[in-house]
Amino acid sequence: MASAAALLRFRLAASSSLFASHSQCARVAARRAGAVVSQQTRFYAKAAKKSKDKGKDKEKEKDRDLSSGSSKGSKRVTTDDLIPASQRIVSSEEYKKAEGKMQTALEWFRKEVAGLETRATGRVTPALLSPVRVKVPGAADARGVRLEEVATVGVKEGTTLLVTVFEEHTLKYVEQGIYEAKIPSVTPQKLDNRTIKIPIPKPTVETRTALYTNATRLAEDVRVQLRKHHQALLKKEEINKHSPDFSTYQALLDKSLAEVDKILAHLKKTTG
């Protein structure tokens, strides 16, 4: 009996010790698991916070670059930078001045050729005497004044021009101016102290050829003027053939020269 009781107590003590050992192991395992979870939670929370801060730093750096330019030397974009270079050039003051001078030269040439065309077709109009300049005493311009400033020009029977001066003493100056104009087939004839008659014969082949030759001479003079205006523009803008914008300036000259050729070709077609 004593042996049985001792055996029972030993088994109970062993069971209690085993249960305590299992409980202690469970508590240790729980603490380790809690520590791991705690470490993982702290790790992920720390990583998320770092990423958020990094994103804010990038946004701040981007804002600084846009407002004051980056440290690599990028310049601020202005409204002028958004306008194409060709449009900025044609809007410049010097470009417009040169373009205006070229247009003036073209208009003069167009008017002169229109007068030559009128004579080539045989139409008699007062415009035939438009080249005439009268050198009256006291004139401000050394080249003389226009004929319409000192006389009237009319057409009689569609074949004759009649020039009537305002003052008798200017008649000889008007007659001299008509001769000096060297208009083909134009010969003044004095009728009285105030009137000059100019018969206009029908144009011949030789007359038309002479008119076209005169037009080609005028065309070359205009081309020289256009090139001078173009060279002056390039000099003021400091542009040479190797400049990136040279083609824009060259286009202005090419356009004007093409207009001269167009006017001359039309006259050639008219004169045959």
Side-chain angles (χ1 to χ4, degrees):
M1 290 295 290
S3 298
L7 181 60
L8 180 60
R9 283 194 301 270
F10 175 77
R11 288 180 177 178
L12 289 174
S15 297
S16 298
S17 177
L18 182 61
F19 178 77
S21 177
H22 281 299
S23 297
Q24 185 177 3
C25 289
R27 286 195 298 270
V28 171
R31 284 196 300 269
R32 290 180 178 178
V36 172
V37 172
S38 177
Q39 290 178 357
Q40 291 179 348
T41 301
R42 286 195 300 271
F43 173 78
Y44 286 118
K46 184 176 181 181
K49 183 177 181 181
K50 181 178 180 181
S51 177
K52 186 176 181 180
D53 293 340
K54 185 177 181 181
K56 289 182 179 180
D57 293 339
K58 288 185 177 180
E59 290 181 359
K60 290 181 180 179
E61 183 178 356
K62 185 177 180 180
D63 292 339
R64 288 195 300 269
D65 292 341
L66 292 176
S67 61
S68 60
S70 65
S71 58
K72 294 182 179 181
S74 61
K75 62 180 181 179
R76 184 177 300 176
V77 178
T78 63
T79 55
D80 291 339
D81 296 330
L82 302 178
I83 302 175
S86 58
Q87 293 185 13
R88 292 200 305 271
I89 293 172
V90 299
S91 300
S92 66
E93 183 178 357
E94 293 298 335
Y95 185 95
K96 289 182 178 180
K97 286 182 179 179
E99 186 178 24
K101 292 178 180 179
M102 290 183 178
Q103 287 298 325
T104 300
L106 286 174
E107 288 300 324
W108 174 85
F109 178 64
R110 188 178 286 108
K111 185 180 294 185
E112 293 295 323
V113 170
L116 296 175
E117 183 179 355
T118 299
R119 294 198 293 273
T121 56
R123 296 193 304 271
V124 179
T125 67
L128 292 174
L129 300 180
S130 59
V132 176
R133 295 294 180 271
V134 182
K135 297 179 180 179
V136 294
D141 193 342
R143 296 175 300 176
V145 299
R146 294 182 177 275
L147 179 60
E148 56 266 25
E149 295 181 32
V150 295
T152 60
V153 181
V155 180
K156 182 180 180 181
E157 298 177 357
T159 59
T160 304
L161 291 174
L162 292 178
V163 181
T164 304
V165 298
F166 300 143
E167 300 179 6
E168 292 184 7
H169 72 278
T170 60
L171 184 66
K172 61 180 180 180
Y173 301 112
V174 170
E175 187 177 6
Q176 182 181 356
I178 295 173
Y179 277 115
E180 291 179 351
K182 297 180 180 180
I183 303 173
S185 303
V186 172
T187 304
Q189 300 174 5
K190 182 178 177 181
L191 287 181
D192 54 43
N193 293 334
R194 294 184 57 189
T195 308
I196 296 176
K197 180 179 71 172
I198 305 175
I200 306 297
K202 291 184 178 180
T204 61
V205 175
E206 291 77 10
T207 301
R208 293 192 183 97
T209 302
L211 292 173
Y212 182 75
T213 301
N214 188 25
T216 56
R217 178 180 60 81
L218 296 176
E220 188 57 33
D221 292 341
V222 172
R223 292 190 185 100
V224 171
Q225 293 182 31
L226 294 175
R227 293 189 179 98
K228 285 183 178 179
H229 295 318
H230 181 252
Q231 288 297 324
L233 174 61
L234 294 180
K235 185 176 181 180
K236 289 181 179 179
E237 297 290 349
E238 298 181 354
I239 299 295
N240 55 52
K241 292 184 179 181
H242 303 289
S243 300
D245 300 327
F246 177 77
S247 59
T248 303
Y249 292 92
Q250 184 65 30
L252 175 62
L253 177 62
D254 294 341
K255 179 181 177 181
S256 300
L257 294 177
E259 187 65 21
V260 173
D261 295 338
K262 181 179 178 181
I263 296 172
L264 197 61
H266 177 73
L267 179 63
K268 184 175 180 61
K269 183 179 179 181
T270 303
T271 56

PDB file of all heavy atoms in Angstrom, residues 243-259:
ATOM      1  N   SER A 243      23.342  82.077 -91.154  1.00  0.00           N
ATOM      2  CA  SER A 243      22.434  82.260 -90.024  1.00  0.00           C
ATOM      3  C   SER A 243      21.220  81.351 -90.160  1.00  0.00           C
ATOM      4  O   SER A 243      20.749  81.101 -91.277  1.00  0.00           O
ATOM      5  CB  SER A 243      21.969  83.719 -89.942  1.00  0.00           C
ATOM      6  OG  SER A 243      23.079  84.589 -89.773  1.00  0.00           O
ATOM      7  N   PRO A 244      20.685  80.841 -89.033  1.00  0.00           N
ATOM      8  CA  PRO A 244      19.530  79.944 -89.097  1.00  0.00           C
ATOM      9  C   PRO A 244      18.292  80.598 -89.714  1.00  0.00           C
ATOM     10  O   PRO A 244      17.483  79.911 -90.340  1.00  0.00           O
ATOM     11  CB  PRO A 244      19.284  79.587 -87.618  1.00  0.00           C
ATOM     12  CG  PRO A 244      20.578  79.871 -86.930  1.00  0.00           C
ATOM     13  CD  PRO A 244      21.208  81.010 -87.665  1.00  0.00           C
ATOM     14  N   ASP A 245      18.144  81.920 -89.553  1.00  0.00           N
ATOM     15  CA  ASP A 245      16.957  82.619 -90.044  1.00  0.00           C
ATOM     16  C   ASP A 245      17.162  83.242 -91.423  1.00  0.00           C
ATOM     17  O   ASP A 245      16.307  84.018 -91.882  1.00  0.00           O
ATOM     18  CB  ASP A 245      16.550  83.718 -89.051  1.00  0.00           C
ATOM     19  CG  ASP A 245      16.223  83.155 -87.677  1.00  0.00           C
ATOM     20  OD1 ASP A 245      15.715  82.026 -87.624  1.00  0.00           O
ATOM     21  OD2 ASP A 245      16.474  83.841 -86.665  1.00  0.00           O
ATOM     22  N   PHE A 246      18.269  82.930 -92.091  1.00  0.00           N
ATOM     23  CA  PHE A 246      18.554  83.563 -93.383  1.00  0.00           C
ATOM     24  C   PHE A 246      17.479  83.249 -94.419  1.00  0.00           C
ATOM     25  O   PHE A 246      17.127  84.104 -95.244  1.00  0.00           O
ATOM     26  CB  PHE A 246      19.918  83.106 -93.900  1.00  0.00           C
ATOM     27  CG  PHE A 246      20.262  83.651 -95.257  1.00  0.00           C
ATOM     28  CD1 PHE A 246      20.690  84.956 -95.403  1.00  0.00           C
ATOM     29  CD2 PHE A 246      20.137  82.848 -96.391  1.00  0.00           C
ATOM     30  CE1 PHE A 246      21.001  85.474 -96.653  1.00  0.00           C
ATOM     31  CE2 PHE A 246      20.442  83.352 -97.649  1.00  0.00           C
ATOM     32  CZ  PHE A 246      20.881  84.663 -97.784  1.00  0.00           C
ATOM     33  N   SER A 247      16.942  82.039 -94.387  1.00  0.00           N
ATOM     34  CA  SER A 247      15.938  81.641 -95.385  1.00  0.00           C
ATOM     35  C   SER A 247      14.688  82.511 -95.315  1.00  0.00           C
ATOM     36  O   SER A 247      14.058  82.787 -96.340  1.00  0.00           O
ATOM     37  CB  SER A 247      15.557  80.168 -95.184  1.00  0.00           C
ATOM     38  OG  SER A 247      15.038  79.960 -93.881  1.00  0.00           O
ATOM     39  N   THR A 248      14.329  82.952 -94.109  1.00  0.00           N
ATOM     40  CA  THR A 248      13.145  83.807 -93.964  1.00  0.00           C
ATOM     41  C   THR A 248      13.369  85.156 -94.631  1.00  0.00           C
ATOM     42  O   THR A 248      12.475  85.686 -95.315  1.00  0.00           O
ATOM     43  CB  THR A 248      12.815  84.012 -92.475  1.00  0.00           C
ATOM     44  OG1 THR A 248      12.624  82.733 -91.851  1.00  0.00           O
ATOM     45  CG2 THR A 248      11.554  84.840 -92.319  1.00  0.00           C
ATOM     46  N   TYR A 249      14.545  85.728 -94.462  1.00  0.00           N
ATOM     47  CA  TYR A 249      14.866  87.003 -95.104  1.00  0.00           C
ATOM     48  C   TYR A 249      15.008  86.836 -96.617  1.00  0.00           C
ATOM     49  O   TYR A 249      14.600  87.706 -97.382  1.00  0.00           O
ATOM     50  CB  TYR A 249      16.162  87.577 -94.525  1.00  0.00           C
ATOM     51  CG  TYR A 249      16.043  88.013 -93.085  1.00  0.00           C
ATOM     52  CD1 TYR A 249      16.345  87.150 -92.048  1.00  0.00           C
ATOM     53  CD2 TYR A 249      15.617  89.295 -92.748  1.00  0.00           C
ATOM     54  CE1 TYR A 249      16.233  87.534 -90.716  1.00  0.00           C
ATOM     55  CE2 TYR A 249      15.505  89.700 -91.432  1.00  0.00           C
ATOM     56  CZ  TYR A 249      15.817  88.812 -90.423  1.00  0.00           C
ATOM     57  OH  TYR A 249      15.695  89.201 -89.113  1.00  0.00           O
ATOM     58  N   GLN A 250      15.587  85.728 -97.034  1.00  0.00           N
ATOM     59  CA  GLN A 250      15.767  85.483 -98.464  1.00  0.00           C
ATOM     60  C   GLN A 250      14.425  85.315 -99.166  1.00  0.00           C
ATOM     61  O   GLN A 250      14.272  85.696-100.337  1.00  0.00           O
ATOM     62  CB  GLN A 250      16.641  84.237 -98.672  1.00  0.00           C
ATOM     63  CG  GLN A 250      16.978  83.943-100.123  1.00  0.00           C
ATOM     64  CD  GLN A 250      17.838  85.018-100.752  1.00  0.00           C
ATOM     65  OE1 GLN A 250      18.617  85.665-100.069  1.00  0.00           O
ATOM     66  NE2 GLN A 250      17.699  85.217-102.050  1.00  0.00           N
ATOM     67  N   ALA A 251      13.461  84.762 -98.456  1.00  0.00           N
ATOM     68  CA  ALA A 251      12.136  84.552 -99.039  1.00  0.00           C
ATOM     69  C   ALA A 251      11.481  85.886 -99.428  1.00  0.00           C
ATOM     70  O   ALA A 251      10.750  85.961-100.416  1.00  0.00           O
ATOM     71  CB  ALA A 251      11.245  83.797 -98.060  1.00  0.00           C
ATOM     72  N   LEU A 252      11.755  86.937 -98.656  1.00  0.00           N
ATOM     73  CA  LEU A 252      11.199  88.258 -98.972  1.00  0.00           C
ATOM     74  C   LEU A 252      11.744  88.760-100.300  1.00  0.00           C
ATOM     75  O   LEU A 252      10.985  89.261-101.142  1.00  0.00           O
ATOM     76  CB  LEU A 252      11.541  89.245 -97.853  1.00  0.00           C
ATOM     77  CG  LEU A 252      11.125  90.708 -98.088  1.00  0.00           C
ATOM     78  CD1 LEU A 252       9.617  90.818 -98.227  1.00  0.00           C
ATOM     79  CD2 LEU A 252      11.621  91.587 -96.942  1.00  0.00           C
ATOM     80  N   LEU A 253      13.049  88.625-100.518  1.00  0.00           N
ATOM     81  CA  LEU A 253      13.652  89.061-101.780  1.00  0.00           C
ATOM     82  C   LEU A 253      13.172  88.204-102.945  1.00  0.00           C
ATOM     83  O   LEU A 253      12.837  88.731-104.016  1.00  0.00           O
ATOM     84  CB  LEU A 253      15.174  89.001-101.671  1.00  0.00           C
ATOM     85  CG  LEU A 253      15.952  89.360-102.948  1.00  0.00           C
ATOM     86  CD1 LEU A 253      15.663  90.793-103.369  1.00  0.00           C
ATOM     87  CD2 LEU A 253      17.442  89.150-102.732  1.00  0.00           C
ATOM     88  N   ASP A 254      13.132  86.891-102.745  1.00  0.00           N
ATOM     89  CA  ASP A 254      12.698  85.991-103.811  1.00  0.00           C
ATOM     90  C   ASP A 254      11.262  86.292-104.252  1.00  0.00           C
ATOM     91  O   ASP A 254      10.944  86.263-105.447  1.00  0.00           O
ATOM     92  CB  ASP A 254      12.802  84.543-103.350  1.00  0.00           C
ATOM     93  CG  ASP A 254      14.247  84.120-103.117  1.00  0.00           C
ATOM     94  OD1 ASP A 254      15.146  84.806-103.638  1.00  0.00           O
ATOM     95  OD2 ASP A 254      14.465  83.117-102.407  1.00  0.00           O
ATOM     96  N   LYS A 255      10.414  86.600-103.293  1.00  0.00           N
ATOM     97  CA  LYS A 255       9.018  86.918-103.606  1.00  0.00           C
ATOM     98  C   LYS A 255       8.922  88.193-104.433  1.00  0.00           C
ATOM     99  O   LYS A 255       8.149  88.260-105.406  1.00  0.00           O
ATOM    100  CB  LYS A 255       8.225  87.065-102.302  1.00  0.00           C
ATOM    101  CG  LYS A 255       6.760  87.411-102.499  1.00  0.00           C
ATOM    102  CD  LYS A 255       6.062  87.568-101.170  1.00  0.00           C
ATOM    103  CE  LYS A 255       4.604  87.986-101.365  1.00  0.00           C
ATOM    104  NZ  LYS A 255       3.923  88.167-100.045  1.00  0.00           N
ATOM    105  N   SER A 256       9.700  89.217-104.085  1.00  0.00           N
ATOM    106  CA  SER A 256       9.671  90.485-104.808  1.00  0.00           C
ATOM    107  C   SER A 256      10.235  90.325-106.224  1.00  0.00           C
ATOM    108  O   SER A 256       9.673  90.861-107.190  1.00  0.00           O
ATOM    109  CB  SER A 256      10.471  91.539-104.034  1.00  0.00           C
ATOM    110  OG  SER A 256       9.931  91.746-102.743  1.00  0.00           O
ATOM    111  N   LEU A 257      11.340  89.593-106.361  1.00  0.00           N
ATOM    112  CA  LEU A 257      11.914  89.370-107.684  1.00  0.00           C
ATOM    113  C   LEU A 257      10.970  88.570-108.572  1.00  0.00           C
ATOM    114  O   LEU A 257      10.880  88.826-109.789  1.00  0.00           O
ATOM    115  CB  LEU A 257      13.253  88.640-107.550  1.00  0.00           C
ATOM    116  CG  LEU A 257      14.383  89.418-106.870  1.00  0.00           C
ATOM    117  CD1 LEU A 257      15.622  88.544-106.737  1.00  0.00           C
ATOM    118  CD2 LEU A 257      14.720  90.686-107.651  1.00  0.00           C
ATOM    119  N   ALA A 258      10.270  87.626-107.983  1.00  0.00           N
ATOM    120  CA  ALA A 258       9.298  86.839-108.755  1.00  0.00           C
ATOM    121  C   ALA A 258       8.154  87.713-109.251  1.00  0.00           C
ATOM    122  O   ALA A 258       7.631  87.498-110.360  1.00  0.00           O
ATOM    123  CB  ALA A 258       8.763  85.695-107.892  1.00  0.00           C
ATOM    124  N   GLU A 259       7.765  88.715-108.475  1.00  0.00           N
ATOM    125  CA  GLU A 259       6.710  89.633-108.892  1.00  0.00           C
ATOM    126  C   GLU A 259       7.163  90.475-110.084  1.00  0.00           C
ATOM    127  O   GLU A 259       6.379  90.744-110.997  1.00  0.00           O
ATOM    128  CB  GLU A 259       6.317  90.537-107.720  1.00  0.00           C
ATOM    129  CG  GLU A 259       5.121  91.424-107.994  1.00  0.00           C
ATOM    130  CD  GLU A 259       3.839  90.657-108.201  1.00  0.00           C
ATOM    131  OE1 GLU A 259       3.758  89.496-107.749  1.00  0.00           O
ATOM    132  OE2 GLU A 259       2.911  91.210-108.832  1.00  0.00           O
TER     133      GLU A 259
END
